[in-house]
Amino acid sequence: METQTTICEWAEKTFGPVNNPNDLLKRALQETTELSEAMAKNNTIEIGKETADIVILLHRLLDQYGLDLSKEVNEKMTINRARKWELRGDGTGSHIK
């Protein structure tokens, strides 16, 4: 199984060092557009690949700040589970302050 460390090591070796973390975000946004296109075509193979590209970029982005994506998701889910939510009726919602 890949980890943030193995992903970042591969990316560094393949693409070189990150000069500006914002470039990773911009690339993730491009990949999000590709994901949207795959979803419009209901192409589940490409949906999986494009989603993985986004996650790979997010691992690398957080690594630039000394953060671990899995740890951040786990901590945020602890917060989310404790919140009260206003449902939008479309499978999403907003937390109630």
Side-chain angles (χ1 to χ4, degrees), residues 26-38:
K26 289 177 188 173
R27 183 64 193 181
L29 291 171
Q30 291 173 346
E31 295 294 341
T32 301
T33 299
E34 292 176 14
L35 173 57
S36 180
E37 292 167 357

Side-chain angles (χ1 to χ4, degrees), residues 68-83 85 95:
D68 179 84
L69 181 59
S70 295
K71 181 177 179 279
E72 296 301 319
V73 168
N74 287 336
E75 289 176 4
K76 182 63 177 178
M77 283 305 300
T78 298
I79 293 167
N80 287 345
R81 290 181 195 285
R83 287 181 162 161
W85 294 90
H95 66 88

Side-chain angles (χ1 to χ4, degrees), residues 16-88:
V18 175
N19 295 321
N20 182 349
N22 218 14
D23 293 334
L24 296 171
L25 177 59
K26 289 177 188 173
R27 183 64 193 181
L29 291 171
Q30 291 173 346
E31 295 294 341
T32 301
T33 299
E34 292 176 14
L35 173 57
S36 180
E37 292 167 357
M39 291 171 64
K41 296 175 185 172
N42 200 29
N43 184 336
T44 55
I45 292 170
E46 288 303 311
I47 290 169
K49 289 178 181 179
E50 298 305 337
T51 301
D53 284 341
I54 295 163
V55 172
I56 289 164
L57 285 158
L58 293 178
H59 274 295
R60 198 167 188 211
L61 175 64
L62 285 185
D63 189 68
Q64 298 302 300
Y65 296 95
L67 301 171
D68 179 84
L69 181 59
S70 295
K71 181 177 179 279
E72 296 301 319
V73 168
N74 287 336
E75 289 176 4
K76 182 63 177 178
M77 283 305 300
T78 298
I79 293 167
N80 287 345
R81 290 181 195 285
R83 287 181 162 161
K84 300 238 184 261
W85 294 90
E86 180 179 325
L87 306 181
R88 293 192 180 138

